[in-house]
Amino acid sequence: MNNRAIGYELVVFVTQWGLMLLGFGILTKFVAQLNLLNPSLSLDLYFDAAVKALIALVLSVAWLFIWDRQVRLYFHKRGR
Amino acid sequence: MPSLGANTVAILIALGSFPVSLGLTRFFMYWNSRHGIIGIDVHKLNRPKVPEMVGAAVPITLILFAAIYTLTGGASSIALLAYSLVVGLAALVGAADDRLKMRGIFKPVLTLLCGLPLLILGLAFPGEIYASTLHVPLFGSYHLPVIYPLTILVAVSVTSNTVNMLDPLNGSMAGGISIVAGGLLIGSLLIGAGSMPIFLYASLMFSMLGFLYYNRFPARAFAGNVGQLSIGASIGALAILGKTEIASIVAIFPNIQNSFFFLSRIRRFTEHRELTSKPTKLLPDGKLADSEDPRAPLTLVRTLLVGRPATENEVVSTIWMLFLTSTSLAVITLLLTGVTL
């Protein structure tokens, strides 16, 4: 077994796991609490959901970007 | 411990999945070989011919045992019907792809539709399939009445395709998903989940182990898209039905990393067979090595071979160890779900 690879991946997984929980925490504690539009209007419920989904999407992209940089740092540059 | 009896019965029934999956795998190995449904194991020097689409044994076993569990009155028939339909539809998409060799874009699009039974039955029978509330470890929960139902379709498509993409070596997918299902089964037992998700996780694990017996190195059976997509869809459906959404994402971290790096380099949905730049190469001594092709995607297998060739068996053992790591984090995630800061 490639113990070094497992070690690097372990660091990557634990880091990404922590970041993911933090991201869900931000969504739960801050984003979900926002009242962006008047919820009494039926269509505004969907706009509100769309804006919050967009924020979640941005957080997901940021998460994947960090994951990408971390893996490249550990594996790709070592292979050159 | 709540409903220990029901959980024990659920696991005992699910245990039957192992011999049934084993027998069906053996049958499909014979039948597919006789009918010319074979693939070539390109990671061996002698390039042996191996029966393809044998993974069909797993969705058949899963659906059969979901029906048996329904008949014993173990769980909601609506939920088990939704699960069976999702697994069955994904198997059909996989079988069509195996036979027709569809373009890469079709699988993600068609598997989006595979989640429809969960969505439609969930809307028709509120509370039976999903609850629109996401429970977040350490931070409580929040209600997603609009977004949650829509993410069901995406979830099934993502899990199906990401599992499909990480089956390049003998036993890598079957062993990995066995570990994921086993870990989430243990986590579900620890948090006192209902007997239905416990049964379904146990059934998935035992079915996978039955298939793994013939798929492990040196493989005598290949799963094919029919197996890979339906097994991935099963993970997605279980995440919804078992309320293990976030833990399931964590458990399949190796799949997510592999798919993300594949897509970020190739920038389109395509089949491995259509790639002109391969991430790995086979050395004359039978070991696998990084292809060092800068245009090839940085797949999970390639990361494990950077700077150090290894045998197929060593790479698969390492992949299983990575699944064990991610699944351990998933179990911790499940345990933290009930804790609020």
Side-chain angles (χ1 to χ4, degrees):
Chain A
M1 246 181 313
N2 189 341
N3 291 329
R4 182 180 286 188
I6 293 174
Y8 286 142
E9 287 289 0
L10 184 67
V11 174
V12 171
F13 286 173
V14 171
T15 308
Q16 299 311 319
W17 177 63
L19 287 173
M20 193 182 84
L21 294 188
L22 186 67
F24 274 113
I26 292 168
L27 289 174
T28 311
K29 292 290 180 189
F30 302 105
V31 179
Q33 314 294 333
L34 294 173
N35 285 317
L36 299 166
L37 298 160
N38 183 359
S40 62
L41 301 170
S42 61
L43 206 59
D44 285 356
L45 177 73
Y46 295 97
F47 280 121
D48 185 74
V51 171
K52 287 175 180 173
L54 198 63
I55 295 170
L57 188 66
V58 169
L59 284 174
S60 304
V61 171
W63 178 58
L64 287 171
F65 178 79
I66 297 168
W67 195 331
D68 178 85
R69 296 295 111 175
Q70 202 180 5
V71 170
R72 280 177 200 281
L73 179 73
Y74 288 157
F75 293 102
H76 205 45
K77 286 182 180 167
R78 283 167 205 277
R80 285 177 185 165
Chain B
M1 188 179 282
S3 63
L4 181 68
N7 292 347
T8 309
V9 170
I11 292 172
L12 285 175
I13 295 173
L15 196 59
S17 309
F18 178 76
V20 171
S21 171
L22 195 74
L24 281 172
T25 302
R26 191 74 194 85
F27 165 75
F28 279 115
M29 282 165 65
Y30 169 77
W31 202 89
N32 292 4
S33 292
R34 289 285 302 263
H35 291 82
I37 304 171
I38 48 172
I40 293 174
D41 194 339
V42 295
H43 295 119
K44 310 246 179 343
L45 290 172
N46 59 345
R47 298 170 67 86
K49 290 179 177 174
V50 179
E52 265 282 9
M53 293 180 71
V54 179
V58 177
I60 292 172
T61 308
L62 292 175
I63 293 169
L64 179 69
F65 275 80
I68 291 170
Y69 194 56
T70 306
L71 291 175
T72 63
S76 152
S77 54
I78 300 297
L80 289 169
L81 174 66
Y83 174 78
S84 300
L85 285 171
V86 170
V87 172
L89 284 173
L92 285 177
V93 171
D97 189 44
D98 280 322
R99 301 306 291 159
L100 305 174
K101 308 288 181 209
M102 295 186 292
R103 285 178 56 204
I105 188 67
F106 284 102
K107 270 191 285 190
V109 171
L110 289 176
T111 47
L112 270 177
L113 304 176
C114 295
L116 276 175
L118 287 171
L119 180 63
I120 293 169
L121 288 172
L123 291 171
F125 300 94
E128 294 257 0
I129 308 287
Y130 63 86
S132 296
T133 301
L134 188 67
H135 298 280
V136 178
L138 304 175
F139 296 101
S141 59
Y142 57 100
H143 195 52
L144 296 156
V146 179
I147 300 296
Y148 194 97
L150 296 176
T151 54
I152 289 173
L153 303 182
V154 179
V156 171
S157 179
V158 167
T159 53
S160 305
N161 286 284
T162 197
V163 168
N164 179 241
M165 291 168 86
L166 187 52
D167 193 17
L169 304 176
N170 297 172
S172 56
M173 182 275 294
I177 299 300
S178 301
I179 293 167
V180 168
L184 291 173
L185 167 66
I186 292 168
S188 299
L189 283 166
L190 289 174
I191 61 166
S195 57
M196 184 191 64
I198 286 169
F199 166 76
L200 291 176
Y201 276 125
S203 168
L204 178 60
M205 182 186 72
F206 290 125
S207 302
M208 292 305 301
L209 289 174
F211 174 70
L212 178 64
Y213 182 79
Y214 291 109
N215 182 240
R216 75 189 195 282
F217 181 90
R220 286 178 282 165
F222 282 162
N225 291 301
V226 62
Q228 295 152 355
L229 288 179
S230 56
I231 290 160
S234 168
I235 291 281
L238 265 169
I240 308 294
L241 293 168
K243 305 288 304 162
T244 55
E245 302 94 339
I246 297 176
S248 297
I249 298 172
V250 178
I252 59 168
F253 265 6
N255 300 85
I256 292 173
Q257 180 177 313
N258 181 66
S259 306
F260 173 66
F261 278 89
F262 185 90
L263 293 173
S264 70
R265 177 57 61 96
I266 303 299
R267 296 188 187 281
R268 63 191 158 92
F269 291 104
T270 190
E271 293 293 314
H272 276 275
R273 62 177 177 266
E274 293 169 5
L275 284 180
T276 50
S277 305
K278 302 290 183 188
T280 60
K281 61 185 176 189
L282 186 63
L283 299 178
D285 63 359
K287 286 187 172 180
L288 295 169
D290 175 9
S291 68
E292 296 175 8
D293 184 339
R295 294 165 300 161
L298 187 64
T299 58
L300 188 71
V301 172
R302 190 180 179 189
T303 62
L304 303 178
L305 293 169
V306 166
R308 185 190 146 175
T311 64
E312 183 177 359
N313 222 358
E314 284 175 334
V315 179
V316 172
S317 301
T318 307
I319 290 174
W320 289 355
M321 192 53 75
L322 295 180
F323 272 106
L324 203 58
T325 304
S326 63
T327 303
S328 303
L329 290 173
V331 173
I332 297 170
T333 307
L334 272 180
L335 295 175
L336 290 177
T337 302
V339 180
T340 307
L341 288 175

PDB file of all heavy atoms in Angstrom, chain B residues 168-203:
ATOM      1  N   PRO B 168     -12.025   1.700 -12.204  1.00  0.00           N
ATOM      2  CA  PRO B 168     -11.084   1.364 -13.265  1.00  0.00           C
ATOM      3  C   PRO B 168     -10.330   0.059 -13.011  1.00  0.00           C
ATOM      4  O   PRO B 168      -9.821  -0.539 -13.937  1.00  0.00           O
ATOM      5  CB  PRO B 168     -10.114   2.550 -13.247  1.00  0.00           C
ATOM      6  CG  PRO B 168     -10.118   3.009 -11.828  1.00  0.00           C
ATOM      7  CD  PRO B 168     -11.469   2.676 -11.261  1.00  0.00           C
ATOM      8  N   LEU B 169     -10.250  -0.368 -11.738  1.00  0.00           N
ATOM      9  CA  LEU B 169      -9.429  -1.537 -11.390  1.00  0.00           C
ATOM     10  C   LEU B 169     -10.285  -2.603 -10.700  1.00  0.00           C
ATOM     11  O   LEU B 169     -11.344  -2.287 -10.145  1.00  0.00           O
ATOM     12  CB  LEU B 169      -8.288  -1.105 -10.465  1.00  0.00           C
ATOM     13  CG  LEU B 169      -7.366   0.002 -10.988  1.00  0.00           C
ATOM     14  CD1 LEU B 169      -6.351   0.383  -9.928  1.00  0.00           C
ATOM     15  CD2 LEU B 169      -6.664  -0.417 -12.269  1.00  0.00           C
ATOM     16  N   ASN B 170      -9.806  -3.814 -10.708  1.00  0.00           N
ATOM     17  CA  ASN B 170     -10.554  -4.947 -10.144  1.00  0.00           C
ATOM     18  C   ASN B 170     -10.934  -4.694  -8.687  1.00  0.00           C
ATOM     19  O   ASN B 170     -10.061  -4.538  -7.826  1.00  0.00           O
ATOM     20  CB  ASN B 170      -9.713  -6.223 -10.210  1.00  0.00           C
ATOM     21  CG  ASN B 170      -9.387  -6.660 -11.631  1.00  0.00           C
ATOM     22  OD1 ASN B 170      -8.608  -7.574 -11.829  1.00  0.00           O
ATOM     23  ND2 ASN B 170      -9.967  -6.026 -12.637  1.00  0.00           N
ATOM     24  N   GLY B 171     -12.215  -4.676  -8.418  1.00  0.00           N
ATOM     25  CA  GLY B 171     -12.702  -4.569  -7.046  1.00  0.00           C
ATOM     26  C   GLY B 171     -12.679  -3.178  -6.445  1.00  0.00           C
ATOM     27  O   GLY B 171     -13.083  -3.006  -5.292  1.00  0.00           O
ATOM     28  N   SER B 172     -12.236  -2.167  -7.206  1.00  0.00           N
ATOM     29  CA  SER B 172     -12.125  -0.825  -6.607  1.00  0.00           C
ATOM     30  C   SER B 172     -13.501  -0.273  -6.233  1.00  0.00           C
ATOM     31  O   SER B 172     -13.685   0.240  -5.125  1.00  0.00           O
ATOM     32  CB  SER B 172     -11.389   0.141  -7.540  1.00  0.00           C
ATOM     33  OG  SER B 172     -12.003   0.201  -8.799  1.00  0.00           O
ATOM     34  N   MET B 173     -14.482  -0.405  -7.126  1.00  0.00           N
ATOM     35  CA  MET B 173     -15.824   0.102  -6.827  1.00  0.00           C
ATOM     36  C   MET B 173     -16.554  -0.810  -5.844  1.00  0.00           C
ATOM     37  O   MET B 173     -17.105  -0.345  -4.840  1.00  0.00           O
ATOM     38  CB  MET B 173     -16.619   0.246  -8.127  1.00  0.00           C
ATOM     39  CG  MET B 173     -18.015   0.799  -8.008  1.00  0.00           C
ATOM     40  SD  MET B 173     -19.286  -0.400  -7.620  1.00  0.00           S
ATOM     41  CE  MET B 173     -19.317  -1.420  -9.071  1.00  0.00           C
ATOM     42  N   ALA B 174     -16.531  -2.110  -6.113  1.00  0.00           N
ATOM     43  CA  ALA B 174     -17.291  -3.042  -5.271  1.00  0.00           C
ATOM     44  C   ALA B 174     -16.783  -3.015  -3.822  1.00  0.00           C
ATOM     45  O   ALA B 174     -17.587  -2.964  -2.878  1.00  0.00           O
ATOM     46  CB  ALA B 174     -17.195  -4.450  -5.845  1.00  0.00           C
ATOM     47  N   GLY B 175     -15.470  -3.014  -3.656  1.00  0.00           N
ATOM     48  CA  GLY B 175     -14.909  -2.967  -2.307  1.00  0.00           C
ATOM     49  C   GLY B 175     -15.180  -1.630  -1.637  1.00  0.00           C
ATOM     50  O   GLY B 175     -15.554  -1.574  -0.461  1.00  0.00           O
ATOM     51  N   GLY B 176     -14.998  -0.555  -2.404  1.00  0.00           N
ATOM     52  CA  GLY B 176     -15.210   0.792  -1.860  1.00  0.00           C
ATOM     53  C   GLY B 176     -16.638   1.003  -1.395  1.00  0.00           C
ATOM     54  O   GLY B 176     -16.877   1.492  -0.281  1.00  0.00           O
ATOM     55  N   ILE B 177     -17.588   0.601  -2.224  1.00  0.00           N
ATOM     56  CA  ILE B 177     -19.000   0.817  -1.852  1.00  0.00           C
ATOM     57  C   ILE B 177     -19.420  -0.143  -0.730  1.00  0.00           C
ATOM     58  O   ILE B 177     -20.268   0.209   0.098  1.00  0.00           O
ATOM     59  CB  ILE B 177     -19.924   0.696  -3.098  1.00  0.00           C
ATOM     60  CG1 ILE B 177     -19.543   1.759  -4.144  1.00  0.00           C
ATOM     61  CG2 ILE B 177     -21.390   0.828  -2.717  1.00  0.00           C
ATOM     62  CD1 ILE B 177     -19.644   3.203  -3.677  1.00  0.00           C
ATOM     63  N   SER B 178     -18.803  -1.319  -0.669  1.00  0.00           N
ATOM     64  CA  SER B 178     -19.074  -2.220   0.475  1.00  0.00           C
ATOM     65  C   SER B 178     -18.677  -1.527   1.775  1.00  0.00           C
ATOM     66  O   SER B 178     -19.396  -1.592   2.775  1.00  0.00           O
ATOM     67  CB  SER B 178     -18.273  -3.518   0.357  1.00  0.00           C
ATOM     68  OG  SER B 178     -18.572  -4.183  -0.818  1.00  0.00           O
ATOM     69  N   ILE B 179     -17.517  -0.856   1.739  1.00  0.00           N
ATOM     70  CA  ILE B 179     -17.031  -0.148   2.940  1.00  0.00           C
ATOM     71  C   ILE B 179     -17.972   1.012   3.279  1.00  0.00           C
ATOM     72  O   ILE B 179     -18.350   1.213   4.438  1.00  0.00           O
ATOM     73  CB  ILE B 179     -15.588   0.359   2.705  1.00  0.00           C
ATOM     74  CG1 ILE B 179     -14.633  -0.836   2.597  1.00  0.00           C
ATOM     75  CG2 ILE B 179     -15.138   1.300   3.819  1.00  0.00           C
ATOM     76  CD1 ILE B 179     -13.250  -0.487   2.062  1.00  0.00           C
ATOM     77  N   VAL B 180     -18.384   1.762   2.249  1.00  0.00           N
ATOM     78  CA  VAL B 180     -19.299   2.893   2.470  1.00  0.00           C
ATOM     79  C   VAL B 180     -20.610   2.405   3.087  1.00  0.00           C
ATOM     80  O   VAL B 180     -21.091   2.953   4.098  1.00  0.00           O
ATOM     81  CB  VAL B 180     -19.567   3.632   1.129  1.00  0.00           C
ATOM     82  CG1 VAL B 180     -20.729   4.604   1.261  1.00  0.00           C
ATOM     83  CG2 VAL B 180     -18.315   4.363   0.663  1.00  0.00           C
ATOM     84  N   ALA B 181     -21.192   1.360   2.484  1.00  0.00           N
ATOM     85  CA  ALA B 181     -22.476   0.854   2.984  1.00  0.00           C
ATOM     86  C   ALA B 181     -22.325   0.303   4.397  1.00  0.00           C
ATOM     87  O   ALA B 181     -23.190   0.551   5.258  1.00  0.00           O
ATOM     88  CB  ALA B 181     -23.003  -0.223   2.039  1.00  0.00           C
ATOM     89  N   GLY B 182     -21.214  -0.414   4.634  1.00  0.00           N
ATOM     90  CA  GLY B 182     -20.985  -0.966   5.968  1.00  0.00           C
ATOM     91  C   GLY B 182     -20.825   0.134   7.015  1.00  0.00           C
ATOM     92  O   GLY B 182     -21.385   0.053   8.112  1.00  0.00           O
ATOM     93  N   GLY B 183     -20.078   1.176   6.653  1.00  0.00           N
ATOM     94  CA  GLY B 183     -19.852   2.285   7.583  1.00  0.00           C
ATOM     95  C   GLY B 183     -21.139   3.029   7.894  1.00  0.00           C
ATOM     96  O   GLY B 183     -21.423   3.349   9.062  1.00  0.00           O
ATOM     97  N   LEU B 184     -21.925   3.302   6.846  1.00  0.00           N
ATOM     98  CA  LEU B 184     -23.178   4.034   7.068  1.00  0.00           C
ATOM     99  C   LEU B 184     -24.193   3.159   7.816  1.00  0.00           C
ATOM    100  O   LEU B 184     -25.041   3.681   8.551  1.00  0.00           O
ATOM    101  CB  LEU B 184     -23.746   4.534   5.737  1.00  0.00           C
ATOM    102  CG  LEU B 184     -22.897   5.649   5.080  1.00  0.00           C
ATOM    103  CD1 LEU B 184     -23.407   5.992   3.699  1.00  0.00           C
ATOM    104  CD2 LEU B 184     -22.859   6.909   5.949  1.00  0.00           C
ATOM    105  N   LEU B 185     -24.079   1.840   7.637  1.00  0.00           N
ATOM    106  CA  LEU B 185     -24.919   0.917   8.415  1.00  0.00           C
ATOM    107  C   LEU B 185     -24.562   1.031   9.901  1.00  0.00           C
ATOM    108  O   LEU B 185     -25.455   1.180  10.747  1.00  0.00           O
ATOM    109  CB  LEU B 185     -24.704  -0.524   7.918  1.00  0.00           C
ATOM    110  CG  LEU B 185     -25.266  -1.639   8.799  1.00  0.00           C
ATOM    111  CD1 LEU B 185     -26.789  -1.585   8.825  1.00  0.00           C
ATOM    112  CD2 LEU B 185     -24.815  -3.006   8.299  1.00  0.00           C
ATOM    113  N   ILE B 186     -23.276   1.006  10.204  1.00  0.00           N
ATOM    114  CA  ILE B 186     -22.831   1.122  11.609  1.00  0.00           C
ATOM    115  C   ILE B 186     -23.259   2.477  12.184  1.00  0.00           C
ATOM    116  O   ILE B 186     -23.798   2.559  13.290  1.00  0.00           O
ATOM    117  CB  ILE B 186     -21.296   0.941  11.700  1.00  0.00           C
ATOM    118  CG1 ILE B 186     -20.925  -0.500  11.356  1.00  0.00           C
ATOM    119  CG2 ILE B 186     -20.768   1.316  13.082  1.00  0.00           C
ATOM    120  CD1 ILE B 186     -19.436  -0.737  11.134  1.00  0.00           C
ATOM    121  N   GLY B 187     -23.049   3.536  11.378  1.00  0.00           N
ATOM    122  CA  GLY B 187     -23.445   4.875  11.832  1.00  0.00           C
ATOM    123  C   GLY B 187     -24.936   4.953  12.107  1.00  0.00           C
ATOM    124  O   GLY B 187     -25.374   5.517  13.121  1.00  0.00           O
ATOM    125  N   SER B 188     -25.731   4.367  11.204  1.00  0.00           N
ATOM    126  CA  SER B 188     -27.193   4.395  11.379  1.00  0.00           C
ATOM    127  C   SER B 188     -27.602   3.630  12.631  1.00  0.00           C
ATOM    128  O   SER B 188     -28.521   4.043  13.354  1.00  0.00           O
ATOM    129  CB  SER B 188     -27.885   3.784  10.153  1.00  0.00           C
ATOM    130  OG  SER B 188     -27.579   4.531   9.005  1.00  0.00           O
ATOM    131  N   LEU B 189     -26.920   2.515  12.892  1.00  0.00           N
ATOM    132  CA  LEU B 189     -27.221   1.751  14.115  1.00  0.00           C
ATOM    133  C   LEU B 189     -26.864   2.570  15.352  1.00  0.00           C
ATOM    134  O   LEU B 189     -27.612   2.598  16.330  1.00  0.00           O
ATOM    135  CB  LEU B 189     -26.427   0.437  14.123  1.00  0.00           C
ATOM    136  CG  LEU B 189     -26.968  -0.686  13.230  1.00  0.00           C
ATOM    137  CD1 LEU B 189     -25.934  -1.787  13.066  1.00  0.00           C
ATOM    138  CD2 LEU B 189     -28.257  -1.258  13.804  1.00  0.00           C
ATOM    139  N   LEU B 190     -25.718   3.267  15.293  1.00  0.00           N
ATOM    140  CA  LEU B 190     -25.256   4.038  16.457  1.00  0.00           C
ATOM    141  C   LEU B 190     -26.185   5.200  16.789  1.00  0.00           C
ATOM    142  O   LEU B 190     -26.362   5.543  17.956  1.00  0.00           O
ATOM    143  CB  LEU B 190     -23.830   4.559  16.217  1.00  0.00           C
ATOM    144  CG  LEU B 190     -22.715   3.508  16.231  1.00  0.00           C
ATOM    145  CD1 LEU B 190     -21.376   4.132  15.840  1.00  0.00           C
ATOM    146  CD2 LEU B 190     -22.599   2.859  17.610  1.00  0.00           C
ATOM    147  N   ILE B 191     -26.769   5.824  15.758  1.00  0.00           N
ATOM    148  CA  ILE B 191     -27.643   6.974  16.035  1.00  0.00           C
ATOM    149  C   ILE B 191     -29.102   6.540  16.224  1.00  0.00           C
ATOM    150  O   ILE B 191     -29.981   7.381  16.409  1.00  0.00           O
ATOM    151  CB  ILE B 191     -27.555   8.057  14.920  1.00  0.00           C
ATOM    152  CG1 ILE B 191     -27.995   7.501  13.561  1.00  0.00           C
ATOM    153  CG2 ILE B 191     -26.153   8.649  14.851  1.00  0.00           C
ATOM    154  CD1 ILE B 191     -28.240   8.589  12.518  1.00  0.00           C
ATOM    155  N   GLY B 192     -29.357   5.234  16.140  1.00  0.00           N
ATOM    156  CA  GLY B 192     -30.721   4.738  16.364  1.00  0.00           C
ATOM    157  C   GLY B 192     -31.665   5.091  15.233  1.00  0.00           C
ATOM    158  O   GLY B 192     -32.825   5.454  15.464  1.00  0.00           O
ATOM    159  N   ALA B 193     -31.155   4.972  13.986  1.00  0.00           N
ATOM    160  CA  ALA B 193     -32.016   5.243  12.818  1.00  0.00           C
ATOM    161  C   ALA B 193     -33.096   4.165  12.715  1.00  0.00           C
ATOM    162  O   ALA B 193     -33.026   3.131  13.376  1.00  0.00           O
ATOM    163  CB  ALA B 193     -31.159   5.260  11.552  1.00  0.00           C
ATOM    164  N   GLY B 194     -34.072   4.403  11.871  1.00  0.00           N
ATOM    165  CA  GLY B 194     -35.160   3.436  11.691  1.00  0.00           C
ATOM    166  C   GLY B 194     -34.655   2.146  11.056  1.00  0.00           C
ATOM    167  O   GLY B 194     -33.543   2.090  10.513  1.00  0.00           O
ATOM    168  N   SER B 195     -35.486   1.115  11.119  1.00  0.00           N
ATOM    169  CA  SER B 195     -35.036  -0.184  10.607  1.00  0.00           C
ATOM    170  C   SER B 195     -34.956  -0.216   9.082  1.00  0.00           C
ATOM    171  O   SER B 195     -34.217  -1.021   8.521  1.00  0.00           O
ATOM    172  CB  SER B 195     -35.947  -1.298  11.113  1.00  0.00           C
ATOM    173  OG  SER B 195     -37.275  -1.034  10.741  1.00  0.00           O
ATOM    174  N   MET B 196     -35.701   0.674   8.394  1.00  0.00           N
ATOM    175  CA  MET B 196     -35.653   0.648   6.925  1.00  0.00           C
ATOM    176  C   MET B 196     -34.264   1.028   6.372  1.00  0.00           C
ATOM    177  O   MET B 196     -33.695   0.267   5.579  1.00  0.00           O
ATOM    178  CB  MET B 196     -36.713   1.551   6.313  1.00  0.00           C
ATOM    179  CG  MET B 196     -36.730   1.447   4.801  1.00  0.00           C
ATOM    180  SD  MET B 196     -37.710   2.695   4.020  1.00  0.00           S
ATOM    181  CE  MET B 196     -36.850   4.169   4.470  1.00  0.00           C
ATOM    182  N   PRO B 197     -33.699   2.192   6.771  1.00  0.00           N
ATOM    183  CA  PRO B 197     -32.355   2.477   6.255  1.00  0.00           C
ATOM    184  C   PRO B 197     -31.328   1.438   6.696  1.00  0.00           C
ATOM    185  O   PRO B 197     -30.402   1.118   5.946  1.00  0.00           O
ATOM    186  CB  PRO B 197     -32.011   3.864   6.822  1.00  0.00           C
ATOM    187  CG  PRO B 197     -33.024   4.145   7.858  1.00  0.00           C
ATOM    188  CD  PRO B 197     -34.219   3.326   7.541  1.00  0.00           C
ATOM    189  N   ILE B 198     -31.506   0.894   7.883  1.00  0.00           N
ATOM    190  CA  ILE B 198     -30.578  -0.141   8.353  1.00  0.00           C
ATOM    191  C   ILE B 198     -30.668  -1.364   7.449  1.00  0.00           C
ATOM    192  O   ILE B 198     -29.655  -1.923   7.022  1.00  0.00           O
ATOM    193  CB  ILE B 198     -30.868  -0.482   9.833  1.00  0.00           C
ATOM    194  CG1 ILE B 198     -30.343   0.678  10.703  1.00  0.00           C
ATOM    195  CG2 ILE B 198     -30.244  -1.812  10.258  1.00  0.00           C
ATOM    196  CD1 ILE B 198     -30.762   0.653  12.120  1.00  0.00           C
ATOM    197  N   PHE B 199     -31.899  -1.755   7.116  1.00  0.00           N
ATOM    198  CA  PHE B 199     -32.074  -2.891   6.205  1.00  0.00           C
ATOM    199  C   PHE B 199     -31.444  -2.594   4.840  1.00  0.00           C
ATOM    200  O   PHE B 199     -30.720  -3.434   4.284  1.00  0.00           O
ATOM    201  CB  PHE B 199     -33.569  -3.206   6.020  1.00  0.00           C
ATOM    202  CG  PHE B 199     -33.823  -4.117   4.866  1.00  0.00           C
ATOM    203  CD1 PHE B 199     -33.559  -5.476   4.969  1.00  0.00           C
ATOM    204  CD2 PHE B 199     -34.269  -3.618   3.651  1.00  0.00           C
ATOM    205  CE1 PHE B 199     -33.737  -6.312   3.883  1.00  0.00           C
ATOM    206  CE2 PHE B 199     -34.447  -4.449   2.559  1.00  0.00           C
ATOM    207  CZ  PHE B 199     -34.187  -5.808   2.678  1.00  0.00           C
ATOM    208  N   LEU B 200     -31.710  -1.399   4.308  1.00  0.00           N
ATOM    209  CA  LEU B 200     -31.237  -1.087   2.949  1.00  0.00           C
ATOM    210  C   LEU B 200     -29.709  -0.986   2.898  1.00  0.00           C
ATOM    211  O   LEU B 200     -29.092  -1.441   1.939  1.00  0.00           O
ATOM    212  CB  LEU B 200     -31.899   0.200   2.439  1.00  0.00           C
ATOM    213  CG  LEU B 200     -33.406   0.084   2.157  1.00  0.00           C
ATOM    214  CD1 LEU B 200     -33.993   1.428   1.762  1.00  0.00           C
ATOM    215  CD2 LEU B 200     -33.689  -0.945   1.063  1.00  0.00           C
ATOM    216  N   TYR B 201     -29.101  -0.387   3.918  1.00  0.00           N
ATOM    217  CA  TYR B 201     -27.630  -0.327   3.942  1.00  0.00           C
ATOM    218  C   TYR B 201     -27.039  -1.737   4.074  1.00  0.00           C
ATOM    219  O   TYR B 201     -26.051  -2.077   3.417  1.00  0.00           O
ATOM    220  CB  TYR B 201     -27.125   0.563   5.085  1.00  0.00           C
ATOM    221  CG  TYR B 201     -27.094   2.040   4.723  1.00  0.00           C
ATOM    222  CD1 TYR B 201     -27.746   2.984   5.496  1.00  0.00           C
ATOM    223  CD2 TYR B 201     -26.400   2.468   3.590  1.00  0.00           C
ATOM    224  CE1 TYR B 201     -27.721   4.337   5.152  1.00  0.00           C
ATOM    225  CE2 TYR B 201     -26.381   3.812   3.247  1.00  0.00           C
ATOM    226  CZ  TYR B 201     -27.038   4.735   4.022  1.00  0.00           C
ATOM    227  OH  TYR B 201     -27.008   6.061   3.676  1.00  0.00           O
ATOM    228  N   ALA B 202     -27.653  -2.557   4.920  1.00  0.00           N
ATOM    229  CA  ALA B 202     -27.155  -3.927   5.100  1.00  0.00           C
ATOM    230  C   ALA B 202     -27.316  -4.718   3.805  1.00  0.00           C
ATOM    231  O   ALA B 202     -26.411  -5.450   3.387  1.00  0.00           O
ATOM    232  CB  ALA B 202     -27.906  -4.599   6.247  1.00  0.00           C
ATOM    233  N   SER B 203     -28.466  -4.548   3.168  1.00  0.00           N
ATOM    234  CA  SER B 203     -28.729  -5.255   1.913  1.00  0.00           C
ATOM    235  C   SER B 203     -27.728  -4.840   0.828  1.00  0.00           C
ATOM    236  O   SER B 203     -27.212  -5.688   0.089  1.00  0.00           O
ATOM    237  CB  SER B 203     -30.171  -4.939   1.491  1.00  0.00           C
ATOM    238  OG  SER B 203     -30.405  -5.349   0.197  1.00  0.00           O
TER     239      SER B 203
END
